[in-house]
Amino acid sequence: MIRDFAPGNYRFIPAVFQYSSGAAALPGFEIERVRFDRLTPLAEGFAQAAKYIQAAGRPLTSFCACELRSPAAFTEDGFRKFNEHYVKTLSEWGIFDGTTNPVARSNVCPEIDPPAEPSFYAFSFTRPSQSTAPSFVIAGGAEARGGAGSYPERIVRFRDLSPEGLKEKVRFTVGAMESRLDAFGFSWKDTTGVQAYTVHDFHPVIADELVRHGAMRSGLTWHFARPPVIDLEYEMDCRRVQREMVI
């Protein structure tokens, strides 16, 4: 299941054409996460990321994860069109081969003061390291089952915002994160950062569905934002990154 992306010095969990389910640095490398001080429009963000990566002496193929922000949740068709545009730069950088995309990603929609256009929040890339500690980024995932079918067919408790509905959505998403971590041989105890994205009050289930699972060993960053597709309600991602910068 896990594949190596040798030009970037990382391995990844194959998923769909627009992103992978996670990226982990190969031995001898670590992942650095770089967050923009302000949201930066997509084209400008790619340009700044390229400049930063190259200044660090790394090839553009070392780009392994990104965190995006969009103006509002997409329809399925709108999301597909956005993704077809997004991967063009990754193709130019020698990362996306037209079928397989090793780059992990989250793309969420701030409910208050959203950007006017899809923008960068952060990106990650690999760099040489003497550390033997694991280094990884697990892509954003929401309460949608994998496989064929439309989002309404795959969303857990579709349009159910009852306390039980939200609990099941959170439980499913936590489980999805655990499955991705396990695919690399990691668990919550290896994470240094966990993020949640929702506009709903999920405090009633935090103790049982997150804390008792070990997901909050380093705390939790809650972004008041929606997942990228209409009718998705709760998303998470996580990482182990020892080097983080703000530019």
Side-chain angles (χ1 to χ4, degrees), residues 1-181:
M1 180 180 181
I2 303 298
R3 294 176 58 180
D4 284 0
F5 181 60
N9 306 112
Y10 61 92
R11 53 194 177 125
F12 67 99
I13 306 171
V16 289
F17 84 91
Q18 57 264 42
Y19 48 77
S20 73
S21 290
L26 288 171
F29 294 85
E30 67 173 333
I31 292 174
E32 176 176 337
R33 179 177 183 258
V34 183
R35 181 168 65 82
F36 291 99
D37 187 47
R38 62 174 181 82
L39 294 183
T40 304
L42 198 64
E44 181 185 346
F46 269 126
Q48 289 195 33
K51 182 178 179 181
Y52 188 97
I53 291 168
Q54 291 173 325
R58 297 293 290 149
L60 295 181
T61 49
S62 65
F63 183 89
C64 65
C66 65
E67 300 167 50
L68 306 181
R69 299 292 184 265
S70 291
F74 296 90
T75 62
E76 280 196 69
D77 184 58
F79 195 48
R80 177 183 57 79
K81 291 178 179 176
F82 166 76
N83 286 318
E84 289 171 348
H85 171 71
Y86 158 80
V87 297
K88 289 180 180 178
T89 300
L90 300 185
S91 295
E92 294 169 0
W93 288 8
I95 298 174
F96 177 59
D97 63 6
T99 303
T100 304
N101 190 340
V103 177
R105 192 185 83 185
S106 65
N107 180 14
V108 296
C109 312
E111 181 75 352
I112 298 172
D113 194 24
E117 60 185 289
S119 301
F120 264 89
Y121 177 75
F123 67 90
S124 298
F125 70 103
T126 61
R127 61 187 305 155
S129 173
Q130 299 299 314
S131 174
T132 59
S135 188
F136 59 83
V137 177
I138 301 298
E143 79 279 18
R145 302 177 185 90
S150 65
Y151 272 99
E153 295 173 297
R154 296 188 291 114
I155 291 175
V156 172
R157 300 290 284 257
F158 180 62
R159 292 183 176 173
D160 182 354
L161 298 178
S162 68
E164 283 304 312
L166 285 173
K167 182 177 182 178
E168 193 167 335
K169 289 173 182 289
V170 172
R171 178 177 294 170
F172 176 88
T173 306
V174 170
M177 294 294 103
E178 290 173 345
S179 293
R180 294 176 182 184
L181 286 164

Side-chain angles (χ1 to χ4, degrees), residues 202-245:
F202 63 106
H203 283 91
V205 304
I206 281 180
D208 287 340
E209 305 303 331
L210 283 90
V211 179
R212 287 195 169 93
H213 282 252
M216 290 178 59
R217 67 177 293 271
S218 298
L220 177 73
T221 299
W222 176 16
H223 298 265
F224 197 69
R226 296 182 182 275
V229 177
I230 293 170
D231 289 320
L232 289 174
E233 305 292 351
Y234 181 83
E235 181 163 334
M236 293 182 73
D237 59 34
C238 58
R239 64 186 182 272
R240 181 184 181 89
V241 176
Q242 294 169 297
R243 186 193 299 258
E244 302 204 21
M245 300 292 292

